[in-house]
Amino acid sequence: SAASPTNNSVGGVGLGGYGELHFNIGRKDQVDFHRWVLFIDKEFNDNVRFMSEIELEHSIAGEGKAGEVELEQAYIEFDLNDTDKAKAGLFLLPVGILNETHEPATFYGVERNGVEKNIIPTTWWEGGLAYTHTNESGWAFDTAIHSGLFVPTSGSKAYNIRSGRQKVGNAEFSDAAVTGRATYSGMPGVQLGFSAQYQQDVAQSTLAETNDATLITAHADIERGGFGLRALYARWDISGAAPAAIGADEQYGYYIEPSYRFPTERGDVGFFGRYSAYDNAAGDSSSSKNAFFDVGVNYWPIENVVFKADVQFTDYADSSKDEEIINLGVGYHF
Amino acid sequence: SAASPTNNSVGGVGLGGYGELHFNIGRKDQVDFHRWVLFIDKEFNDNVRFMSEIELEHSIAGEGKAGEVELEQAYIEFDLNDTDKAKAGLFLLPVGILNETHEPATFYGVERNGVEKNIIPTTWWEGGLAYTHTNESGWAFDTAIHSGLFVPTSGSKAYNIRSGRQKVGNAEFSDAAVTGRATYSGMPGVQLGFSAQYQQDVAQSTLAETNDATLITAHADIERGGFGLRALYARWDISGAAPAAIGADEQYGYYIEPSYRFPTERGDVGFFGRYSAYDNAAGDSSSSKNAFFDVGVNYWPIENVVFKADVQFTDYADSSKDEEIINLGVGYHF
Amino acid sequence: SAASPTNNSVGGVGLGGYGELHFNIGRKDQVDFHRWVLFIDKEFNDNVRFMSEIELEHSIAGEGKAGEVELEQAYIEFDLNDTDKAKAGLFLLPVGILNETHEPATFYGVERNGVEKNIIPTTWWEGGLAYTHTNESGWAFDTAIHSGLFVPTSGSKAYNIRSGRQKVGNAEFSDAAVTGRATYSGMPGVQLGFSAQYQQDVAQSTLAETNDATLITAHADIERGGFGLRALYARWDISGAAPAAIGADEQYGYYIEPSYRFPTERGDVGFFGRYSAYDNAAGDSSSSKNAFFDVGVNYWPIENVVFKADVQFTDYADSSKDEEIINLGVGYHF
């Protein structure tokens, strides 16, 4: 989670982490320690703190290796008063459900859903400044100005949103972006979120034309008496002739995920189903929507450890890619 | 060591580590901070804990760099009762002496012995499940089911065991493996270990033929009144025509290492000798055994810090590679 | 800083860190989380400790990625008595101002000065042994024997000092080096330092000729009543026909940096100017000196957090490269 310092601290320094090991059994059988993450934070004083998150993806990083080491959060946060705070540095953008909160015990399914991966595109961080205001009625407002995407403009990934993440490593900064979010959490077990982002040119001034891009998202995350419901919609509109020519001027996705969680003598068990669909080339008439149906179970022997099993049935635009995948996983956070 | 949480903990989170800097002076003169390691663990409660080990090898990792970052342990362990525990995640396999316990102050010699490197192949971790039962007579039994090796099937490293480690990073999982170990530590200063592993196909179903593989190991680690003796034998048998054609159907190695350690006013000193030999192509009549004689000294100014010096005399199957190497090292753990 | 264990410790293990995010706006607009660093140390007892520093540069490390993970310090330090200590391992060389102390809140300017980057070449670490003696009159003396540079001997980076850093990762060790430093800090707010290094062959015996190299540096770092002055001079002399042929037999640089820092109700503010110049090919008559004028401001809302802004005006030997760069940054340490 992006927000709170870990409670494992001494001298104001906190150390936490999370991780998840995945087994995927389908056309390709694979095992992967997908993420191993450390949180390191420091309370400088009651009003100023440092937060950071560093991740080793795919277990091994180096020349010719499958994985990488990534800095996903590293910012200074200042409490300005009881309702306002500001941060500066590298932070997770305030969009969607998973982007800021993705510890494995907090969500259903071994793998993250494809909508928040390919449309939002989670995990998504940028460098810049952010400001949060919270009021007593349960609304919170975030605004941020930050570095922007730099999408490829040719090739098979042209205008692909996920491929535009630069991850703040010697990143192009000709065109910044702004993001706003309103969140309502004024009723027990209910969170509603609405985000919008604007960037003047996701091609970072490398083309003769300008590709301005707008993202809007809305989501609900509801938990009541064991019943849960997550729903999310996200959509990009990108201007210019180049994305329009390949249908990438409109990209969207949505999912709905009902669930039910209940306690047992040896921990909690939860079942879920999820229908999700996304389309990274929705701007033309050719068929390019990918849809997925997932059903599965989470088992939490203790609050911070989870075992997961699910089955995914795919309905790709390219039906030759369709498959059924069994996923097994174990995850933790502290 | 794989087993115990570090004692440097707060809020249940422990932080430890080890490392070793090596100087090798032979045909090639080299300096290398071979390993810098962190242990991070969390006691969730009295019966559930997370253990992890992350390593930076060769001091620098990235595109075009000598080293890499590796996740070598990351698992959840559950105490089931006083004698039984289970774990799930990424863990070190229970084989040999060094694979689970390789902090530099615990062994003699700057570099690890070639048998546990090329036959076992230490450091060796996989993803899966493990179960341990300990009884009062000093015996402990480990069983594990986990991801398996994926050896190359052509080229100079064909059926080379060490080259088959996938390190749980987007790893092929068509064929899993099972490992069992019996350990006896019922007499002071004596540890005996016997391991066996079976994998149905170390080529992971990529060939028309099936290369099932069996590893057996036995070791003794004895310390009595300053005198020490370590001895180990390990052997692989791999089925199929392809490994047999290059002699890789049988691969084995062994070493014996007497030592003597004594206290001085300024820390402990220990001397050792070691004869070791291994052969990764013992299945045919061509000469392919490599043998080594090492002699050297460890100096421990304090228990957790060690300075090492040794000389290695090599007897390679390819005698043109023979050399004498002087090794110097400093290591620590906490 | 190289010297003191962090004060965030439990069980003798300390955890600290620093980091800096940079925005550079010039010919190329760029954002980069330039450095994210952890300090991990362990007090084994009152007289023996382990110190280490590990860094993620450019936010993301792996195959094809911009950054890298580097071990910059990892050594054991022994207090021999009240005035003498020794260390063994991988350590920062005792030269210049920034090489040992480079936390962002301790210096002016978003980017480090080019003299300590291209001549010294900071950050510079090697593996070996070091000894420090401090006397009551305010002088301290460091001597070290350690692994040496291995410069390229052909191409555009031939005999470039910065390109000779091997970073102790499987590094060539044919030719070691020795470094000495005298430091005076006997007057409040005054530090003077003088260093010298000698290496018999910076080409590490790969050429028919021998390129012995001598570095000398001198610096002053003075703070009095808000006024500050940093000045540094460093120079390399390299023997042999090959470096002489391209003017690389003499390489030098210097800078002077006056500043003024004052408190406000909301933290400290400091202004600085800096003139710096360096030449990596000063041994011939061709023009190869690069000079820079920087002016800027630091704002410290709290002692360990800094925001920086500066402008750099360049005067390259190749005037076609000249530009004005605006730099913005945020940094912290703990």
Side-chain angles (χ1 to χ4, degrees):
Chain A
S1 168
S4 56
T6 64
N7 57 1
N8 312 299
S9 80
V10 61
V13 175
L15 186 64
Y18 74 90
E20 41 189 331
L21 172 65
H22 296 173
F23 295 85
N24 310 111
I25 299 158
R27 290 194 178 201
K28 189 168 172 14
D29 299 331
Q30 190 169 282
V31 56
D32 185 34
F33 207 102
H34 200 134
R35 299 177 182 90
W36 180 91
V37 174
L38 277 189
F39 295 117
I40 292 148
D41 47 63
K42 166 72 177 179
E43 291 281 326
F44 288 113
N45 62 41
D46 287 349
N47 300 316
V48 184
R49 67 197 63 86
F50 167 69
M51 311 286 296
S52 75
E53 175 182 353
I54 192 164
E55 178 165 331
L56 172 60
E57 289 215 329
H58 307 305
S59 206
I60 177 162
E63 169 83 10
K65 303 302 175 192
E68 59 198 50
V69 177
E70 297 181 336
L71 184 64
E72 301 204 345
Q73 300 187 63
Y75 62 85
I76 311 292
E77 186 173 68
F78 301 85
D79 293 341
L80 305 177
N81 53 49
D82 287 352
T83 58
D84 296 74
K85 56 189 179 181
K87 57 189 174 190
L90 183 162
F91 49 82
L92 298 170
L93 293 189
V95 284
I97 297 174
L98 296 184
N99 200 56
E100 287 185 305
T101 306
H102 41 242
E103 290 85 346
T106 66
F107 66 91
Y108 285 98
V110 172
E111 303 290 345
R112 299 175 184 172
N113 71 79
V115 180
E116 292 192 78
K117 182 175 174 182
N118 291 292
I119 302 296
I120 285 203
T122 290
T123 310
W124 186 12
W125 61 89
E126 299 287 355
L129 302 170
Y131 188 94
T132 300
H133 172 76
T134 308
N135 74 19
E136 293 183 1
S137 61
W139 284 91
F141 302 94
D142 298 279
T143 54
I145 179 164
H146 52 78
S147 54
L149 298 173
F150 183 17
V151 298
T153 54
S154 60
S156 66
K157 293 292 184 183
Y159 293 95
N160 178 277
I161 290 296
R162 187 169 182 82
S163 303
R165 299 181 305 164
Q166 303 189 84
K167 301 187 177 181
V168 199
N170 286 338
E172 184 61 45
F173 187 61
S174 292
D175 290 273
V178 291
T179 300
R181 177 177 66 179
T183 309
Y184 176 74
S185 51
M187 293 167 57
V190 175
Q191 192 200 59
L192 306 176
F194 309 92
S195 296
Q197 180 178 123
Y198 178 76
Q199 183 177 346
Q200 193 174 347
D201 190 359
V202 287
Q204 294 277 358
S205 307
T206 56
L207 298 185
E209 72 176 35
T210 294
N211 301 128
D212 71 51
T214 305
L215 166 69
I216 58 162
T217 80
H219 75 257
D221 184 4
I222 298 169
E223 290 176 25
R224 282 288 176 91
F227 289 96
L229 182 71
R230 284 186 168 187
L232 180 142
Y233 176 83
R235 172 188 169 122
W236 285 94
D237 286 282
I238 307 178
S239 74
I246 55 172
D249 52 329
E250 182 183 325
Q251 305 188 36
Y252 77 97
Y254 56 87
Y255 70 85
I256 184 163
E257 179 193 286
S259 61
Y260 181 66
R261 176 174 175 161
F262 56 94
T264 75
E265 283 188 13
R266 293 186 166 277
D268 281 13
V269 173
F271 294 94
F272 80 104
R274 184 197 303 135
Y275 178 79
S276 61
Y278 67 87
D279 190 337
N280 286 109
D284 57 19
S285 58
S286 71
S287 171
S288 49
K289 188 171 90 166
N290 303 307
F292 307 87
F293 179 66
D294 299 78
V295 60
V297 60
N298 276 16
Y299 167 57
W300 294 265
I302 62 171
E303 189 63 28
N304 289 355
V305 173
V306 66
F307 290 85
K308 300 180 178 184
D310 60 67
V311 186
Q312 182 174 66
F313 304 88
T314 72
D315 181 15
Y316 283 106
D318 174 1
S319 64
S320 72
K321 294 171 63 183
D322 279 329
E323 63 177 329
E324 292 177 21
I325 312 169
I326 296 172
N327 299 299
L328 304 172
V330 54
Y332 65 87
H333 77 264
F334 59 92
Chain B
S1 169
S4 56
T6 64
N7 57 1
N8 313 299
S9 81
V10 61
V13 175
L15 187 63
Y18 74 90
E20 42 189 330
L21 173 64
H22 297 173
F23 295 85
N24 310 112
I25 299 158
R27 288 192 180 202
K28 190 168 172 12
D29 299 332
Q30 190 170 281
V31 56
D32 186 34
F33 206 101
H34 200 134
R35 298 175 182 92
W36 180 92
V37 175
L38 278 188
F39 295 118
I40 292 148
D41 48 62
K42 165 72 178 179
E43 291 282 327
F44 288 114
N45 61 42
D46 287 349
N47 300 317
V48 184
R49 67 196 63 85
F50 167 69
M51 311 286 295
S52 75
E53 175 182 353
I54 191 164
E55 178 164 332
L56 173 60
E57 288 217 327
H58 308 304
S59 207
I60 176 162
E63 168 84 9
K65 303 303 177 191
E68 58 199 49
V69 177
E70 297 180 335
L71 185 64
E72 302 203 345
Q73 299 187 65
Y75 62 86
I76 311 293
E77 186 173 68
F78 301 85
D79 292 342
L80 305 177
N81 54 48
D82 286 352
T83 59
D84 296 73
K85 55 188 181 183
K87 57 189 175 191
L90 184 162
F91 49 82
L92 298 171
L93 293 189
V95 284
I97 298 174
L98 296 185
N99 200 56
E100 288 186 305
T101 305
H102 41 242
E103 288 85 346
T106 66
F107 66 91
Y108 285 97
V110 172
E111 303 289 346
R112 298 175 184 172
N113 71 79
V115 180
E116 292 192 80
K117 182 175 174 182
N118 291 292
I119 302 296
I120 283 204
T122 290
T123 310
W124 186 14
W125 60 90
E126 299 288 354
L129 302 171
Y131 188 94
T132 299
H133 171 76
T134 307
N135 73 19
E136 291 182 2
S137 62
W139 284 90
F141 301 94
D142 298 278
T143 55
I145 179 165
H146 51 79
S147 53
L149 297 174
F150 183 17
V151 297
T153 54
S154 60
S156 66
K157 294 291 185 184
Y159 293 95
N160 180 277
I161 290 297
R162 186 169 183 82
S163 303
R165 300 181 304 164
Q166 301 190 84
K167 301 188 177 181
V168 199
N170 287 337
E172 184 61 44
F173 186 61
S174 293
D175 290 274
V178 290
T179 300
R181 178 177 65 179
T183 308
Y184 177 73
S185 50
M187 293 168 56
V190 174
Q191 191 199 60
L192 306 176
F194 309 91
S195 296
Q197 179 177 124
Y198 177 76
Q199 183 177 345
Q200 193 175 346
D201 190 359
V202 287
Q204 294 277 356
S205 307
T206 56
L207 298 185
E209 72 176 36
T210 294
N211 302 127
D212 70 52
T214 305
L215 166 70
I216 57 161
T217 79
H219 75 256
D221 184 4
I222 298 168
E223 291 177 24
R224 282 287 176 91
F227 289 96
L229 181 71
R230 285 185 167 188
L232 180 142
Y233 175 83
R235 172 188 168 123
W236 284 94
D237 286 282
I238 306 178
S239 75
I246 55 172
D249 51 329
E250 182 184 325
Q251 305 188 39
Y252 76 97
Y254 57 86
Y255 70 85
I256 183 162
E257 179 194 285
S259 61
Y260 182 65
R261 175 174 174 162
F262 56 95
T264 75
E265 284 188 12
R266 292 186 167 278
D268 281 12
V269 174
F271 293 95
F272 81 103
R274 183 197 304 135
Y275 178 80
S276 61
Y278 68 87
D279 190 337
N280 286 109
D284 57 19
S285 59
S286 71
S287 171
S288 49
K289 187 171 89 166
N290 303 307
F292 306 88
F293 179 65
D294 300 79
V295 59
V297 60
N298 275 16
Y299 167 56
W300 295 265
I302 61 173
E303 189 62 30
N304 289 356
V305 173
V306 66
F307 291 85
K308 299 182 178 182
D310 61 67
V311 185
Q312 180 174 67
F313 304 88
T314 74
D315 181 15
Y316 284 106
D318 174 1
S319 64
S320 72
K321 293 171 63 183
D322 279 329
E323 62 177 329
E324 292 176 21
I325 311 169
I326 297 172
N327 299 300
L328 305 172
V330 56
Y332 63 87
H333 77 265
F334 59 90
Chain C
S1 167
S4 55
T6 64
N7 57 2
N8 313 300
S9 80
V10 61
V13 175
L15 187 64
Y18 74 89
E20 42 189 330
L21 172 65
H22 296 173
F23 295 86
N24 309 112
I25 299 158
R27 289 194 179 201
K28 189 167 173 12
D29 299 331
Q30 191 169 280
V31 56
D32 186 35
F33 206 102
H34 199 133
R35 298 177 182 89
W36 181 91
V37 175
L38 278 190
F39 295 118
I40 292 148
D41 48 62
K42 166 73 177 178
E43 291 282 327
F44 288 113
N45 61 41
D46 288 349
N47 299 317
V48 184
R49 67 196 63 87
F50 167 70
M51 311 286 295
S52 76
E53 175 182 353
I54 191 164
E55 178 164 331
L56 172 60
E57 288 215 329
H58 306 305
S59 207
I60 176 163
E63 168 84 9
K65 303 302 176 191
E68 58 198 50
V69 177
E70 298 180 334
L71 183 64
E72 302 204 344
Q73 300 187 65
Y75 61 86
I76 311 292
E77 186 173 67
F78 301 85
D79 292 341
L80 306 177
N81 55 47
D82 287 352
T83 60
D84 296 72
K85 56 188 179 182
K87 57 189 174 190
L90 183 162
F91 50 81
L92 299 170
L93 293 189
V95 285
I97 298 174
L98 296 185
N99 201 55
E100 288 186 305
T101 305
H102 41 241
E103 289 86 345
T106 67
F107 66 91
Y108 285 99
V110 171
E111 303 290 346
R112 298 176 184 172
N113 71 80
V115 179
E116 292 191 80
K117 180 175 175 184
N118 291 292
I119 302 297
I120 284 202
T122 290
T123 309
W124 186 13
W125 60 89
E126 299 287 356
L129 302 170
Y131 188 94
T132 299
H133 172 75
T134 309
N135 74 20
E136 292 182 1
S137 62
W139 284 92
F141 301 94
D142 299 279
T143 55
I145 179 165
H146 52 79
S147 54
L149 298 174
F150 183 16
V151 297
T153 54
S154 59
S156 68
K157 293 292 184 184
Y159 293 95
N160 178 277
I161 290 297
R162 186 169 184 82
S163 303
R165 299 181 305 164
Q166 301 190 84
K167 301 188 178 182
V168 199
N170 286 337
E172 184 60 45
F173 187 61
S174 294
D175 289 274
V178 290
T179 301
R181 178 177 65 179
T183 309
Y184 177 74
S185 50
M187 293 167 55
V190 174
Q191 191 199 58
L192 306 176
F194 309 91
S195 296
Q197 177 177 124
Y198 177 76
Q199 183 176 346
Q200 194 174 345
D201 190 358
V202 287
Q204 295 275 359
S205 307
T206 56
L207 298 185
E209 71 175 36
T210 295
N211 300 128
D212 71 50
T214 306
L215 166 69
I216 57 160
T217 79
H219 75 255
D221 183 4
I222 299 169
E223 291 176 25
R224 282 289 176 89
F227 289 96
L229 182 70
R230 285 185 167 186
L232 179 142
Y233 175 83
R235 173 187 168 125
W236 285 93
D237 285 283
I238 306 178
S239 75
I246 56 171
D249 52 327
E250 181 184 327
Q251 305 188 38
Y252 77 97
Y254 57 86
Y255 70 85
I256 183 163
E257 179 194 287
S259 60
Y260 182 66
R261 176 175 175 161
F262 56 94
T264 76
E265 284 188 11
R266 293 186 166 277
D268 281 12
V269 175
F271 294 94
F272 80 104
R274 183 198 303 135
Y275 178 79
S276 62
Y278 67 88
D279 190 337
N280 286 107
D284 58 18
S285 58
S286 71
S287 171
S288 49
K289 187 171 90 167
N290 303 307
F292 307 86
F293 179 65
D294 300 79
V295 59
V297 59
N298 276 16
Y299 167 56
W300 295 265
I302 62 173
E303 189 63 26
N304 288 355
V305 174
V306 66
F307 291 85
K308 300 181 178 184
D310 61 68
V311 186
Q312 181 174 67
F313 304 88
T314 73
D315 181 15
Y316 284 105
D318 174 1
S319 63
S320 72
K321 295 171 62 184
D322 279 329
E323 62 176 330
E324 293 177 20
I325 311 169
I326 297 172
N327 299 300
L328 305 172
V330 55
Y332 64 87
H333 77 265
F334 59 91

